[in-house]
Amino acid sequence: MFNEVKEMYAAIGVDVEQALTALAAVPISLHCWQGDDVGGFEGSDGALGGGLAVTGDYPGKARSIDELRQDLEQVLGLLPGNHRLNLHANYGDFGGKPVDRDAIEVAHFQSWIDWCARNNLGMDFNPTCFGHSKADDGFTLSSPDSGIRDFWIEHCQRSRAIGAEMGKQLGSPTVTNVWIPDGMKDLPVDRQSYRQRLSDSLDTVFAEKLDPAHNIDAVECKLFGIGSESFVSGSHEFYFGYAQKNQTALCLDAGHFHPTESIADKISSVLMYVPELLLHVSRGVRWDSDHVVLFDDATQQIMQELVRCDALSRTHIGLDFFDASINRIAAWAIGTRAAQKSLLLALLEPRKTLREAEISGDYTTRLALLEQAKALPWSAVWDEFCRRNDAPTELELLGRVKDYENDVLAER
Ligand code: RNT
Ligand code: ZN
């Protein structure tokens, strides 16, 4: 079957083996927070806050670092290819002791670095500027209170240093992504001062130059959140300008724009002005920005743009969703595989022919070929990729998830 499919693609000028090699070279950064509903391991049971909300109470959630690692190992076994771990600062190994956010150190993350080294994973990192009493009034780096700002500046500075050490030890740069929840439920009368303070705080956070071979800084915008419907300090325009001026990476989260706005069309523009891109592949549904990623038009269009713009080498692909209403391992695996399948489909496009049709004004051929590409048996190529990488094929996936649920999750 696979060989026939390969010939079919060869007939339209697509080299399947080349596509598989390219797919294998793209790691997806797995977000640790799908495993425990963004809880973390600080030992406090505080509210998540920051406009983040996780709904559902599916049994089997990871309650400790060991359980989260066990689950991640399971997920990694369900994914073809080599990936990365995206860790939030509140997931440190604090040994049961209270360590406030302005006191985190590399030592608290050493066991994660070691675990990643053993599992052949690169690491990405995030300061955690939510789920904390000092973020309860809705502001962190743009707060009018200088004491609050200083606290979060210290946390972000420490996070960058930790990110750099992760990247150094693992021999692959860590993307340290700053997202803050700052915003207002109702109409502000002084948007400007919040943005000025945010800009100043970020300048202090990024003042120390770190080796880009170890740490890459990224900033993440958002249009609105729960409780910040009218205003968010770190809007798209704000961070696009900031990233451009300071040449940091820009993070585009697929769920952080107007409900019908796609981040796919932004990629070719922002990459003209910022050096690198971080993607939070996610799925917005009405007011929620974090549903499990699907193999849908939005995800396919993002991956098409990365391939068509030849942007894979300048893009870090991460995921950002959390669903507690279904098996969390399934959520992780299905969402990640959906991103990978979308990338594969993009890599299997007859790019040269499509471009020739477009440039010569033959839009009929362009449209026909794009429709044709969807109907080709690309899923046989995906299953082959899974088999070569010792991962379950599409039809085998659910059984594997259910086995783990019965053997491990049901005992929790
Ligand atoms: C929130 C942002 C952010 C978080 C994670 C947990 O809207 O998308 O990336 O989801 O940092
Ligand atoms: Zn995000």
Side-chain angles (χ1 to χ4, degrees):
M1 167 85 167
F2 173 66
N3 284 327
E4 280 167 48
V5 172
K6 221 160 107 169
E7 278 168 30
M8 231 183 238
Y9 274 103
I12 58 162
V14 176
D15 184 335
V16 168
E17 290 298 337
Q18 217 171 23
L20 289 182
T21 306
L23 182 62
V26 181
I28 309 284
S29 197
L30 301 180
H31 54 314
C32 70
W33 51 94
Q34 165 56 50
D36 73 332
D37 313 340
V38 208
F41 301 119
E42 292 175 315
S44 63
D45 251 351
L48 194 50
L52 305 175
V54 187
T55 44
D57 193 20
Y58 201 84
K61 153 172 144 178
R63 297 160 300 181
S64 64
I65 291 196
D66 286 344
E67 287 183 354
L68 188 65
R69 287 182 191 154
Q70 183 185 26
D71 290 353
L72 277 163
E73 282 164 19
Q74 179 64 23
V75 172
L76 289 166
L78 301 175
L79 303 175
N82 296 321
H83 301 288
R84 302 174 64 86
L85 175 68
N86 191 9
L87 200 69
H88 241 287
N90 60 337
Y91 285 72
D93 195 346
F94 302 115
K97 294 187 199 71
V99 178
D100 210 349
R101 303 270 169 88
D102 63 345
I104 54 167
E105 290 172 9
V106 173
H108 302 126
F109 298 90
Q110 191 58 51
S111 74
W112 276 114
I113 301 175
D114 297 341
W115 180 81
C116 283
R118 280 199 302 281
N119 287 281
N120 195 22
L121 302 168
M123 268 183 109
D124 298 307
F125 197 50
N126 310 261
T128 309
C129 303
F130 54 82
H132 189 282
S133 58
K134 288 199 165 65
D136 276 353
D137 68 359
F139 290 96
T140 62
L141 294 178
S142 73
S143 170
D145 179 332
S146 66
I148 298 277
R149 288 201 305 281
D150 289 347
F151 176 85
W152 292 110
I153 287 171
E154 179 73 30
H155 175 60
C156 291
Q157 287 173 331
R158 283 171 179 256
S159 296
R160 291 180 72 226
I162 293 165
E165 181 61 24
M166 288 170 170
K168 188 174 172 195
Q169 287 193 33
L170 295 169
S172 164
T174 290
V175 181
T176 301
N177 177 50
V178 175
W179 173 75
I180 58 161
D182 301 28
M184 284 194 212
K185 181 184 176 73
D186 224 330
L187 295 166
V189 294
D190 183 11
R191 294 168 191 259
Q192 182 73 65
S193 77
Y194 287 88
R195 291 184 167 135
Q196 185 60 56
R197 284 190 295 271
L198 177 54
S199 176
D200 294 345
S201 294
L202 289 170
D203 285 351
T204 314
V205 166
F206 297 130
E208 189 184 339
K209 293 288 159 248
L210 299 175
D211 187 342
H214 302 150
N215 181 76
I216 295 166
D217 295 306
V219 287
E220 178 180 5
C221 77
K222 192 166 181 173
L223 178 68
F224 71 94
I226 301 168
S228 58
E229 290 84 1
S230 301
F231 169 72
V232 166
S233 309
S235 61
H236 177 54
E237 290 73 13
F238 176 89
Y239 278 127
F240 189 23
Y242 192 87
Q244 195 177 324
K245 181 170 167 214
N246 298 285
Q247 290 296 289
T248 70
L250 184 72
C251 174
L252 295 177
D253 183 313
H256 284 192
F257 294 85
H258 289 282
T260 56
E261 190 175 356
S262 149
I263 63 167
D265 184 39
K266 302 181 191 303
I267 293 170
S268 53
S269 296
V270 302
L271 274 177
M272 290 179 65
Y273 304 108
V274 301
E276 283 173 275
L277 201 59
L278 168 64
L279 295 182
H280 273 189
V281 184
S282 187
R283 177 167 53 108
V285 176
R286 307 211 188 274
W287 58 79
D288 176 63
S289 64
D290 301 289
H291 274 54
V292 178
V293 168
L294 299 180
F295 179 67
D296 59 6
D297 284 353
T299 312
Q300 289 170 28
Q301 283 162 6
I302 292 169
M303 299 305 168
Q304 282 165 358
E305 279 306 305
L306 295 183
V307 173
R308 292 175 186 173
C309 299
D310 205 7
L312 284 167
S313 63
R314 289 167 66 201
T315 305
H316 308 268
I317 305 178
L319 305 168
D320 188 7
F321 53 80
F322 24 96
D323 191 337
S325 72
I326 58 173
N327 179 308
R328 294 172 184 78
I329 280 83
W332 248 329
I334 290 169
T336 313
R337 288 168 63 110
Q340 287 188 286
K341 283 185 283 186
S342 301
L343 180 55
L344 173 63
L345 193 62
L347 290 163
L348 289 173
E349 268 185 0
R351 257 192 316 288
K352 196 163 163 282
T353 323
L354 280 166
R355 277 180 194 221
E356 281 164 6
E358 180 165 284
I359 217 80
S360 68
D362 185 358
Y363 301 150
T364 311
T365 296
R366 182 183 65 184
L367 184 66
L369 289 183
L370 285 171
E371 281 301 284
Q372 198 183 79
K374 294 181 196 166
L376 290 175
W378 63 271
S379 67
V381 182
W382 169 248
D383 278 348
E384 175 69 11
F385 185 66
C386 292
R387 258 181 241 115
R388 289 186 189 180
N389 286 280
D390 296 321
T393 58
E394 282 303 279
L395 293 182
E396 291 162 351
L397 179 67
L398 184 59
R400 291 273 293 271
V401 169
K402 292 284 184 192
D403 286 348
Y404 186 73
E405 176 164 312
N406 294 331
D407 298 345
V408 178
L409 301 182
E411 305 296 318
R412 288 184 182 164

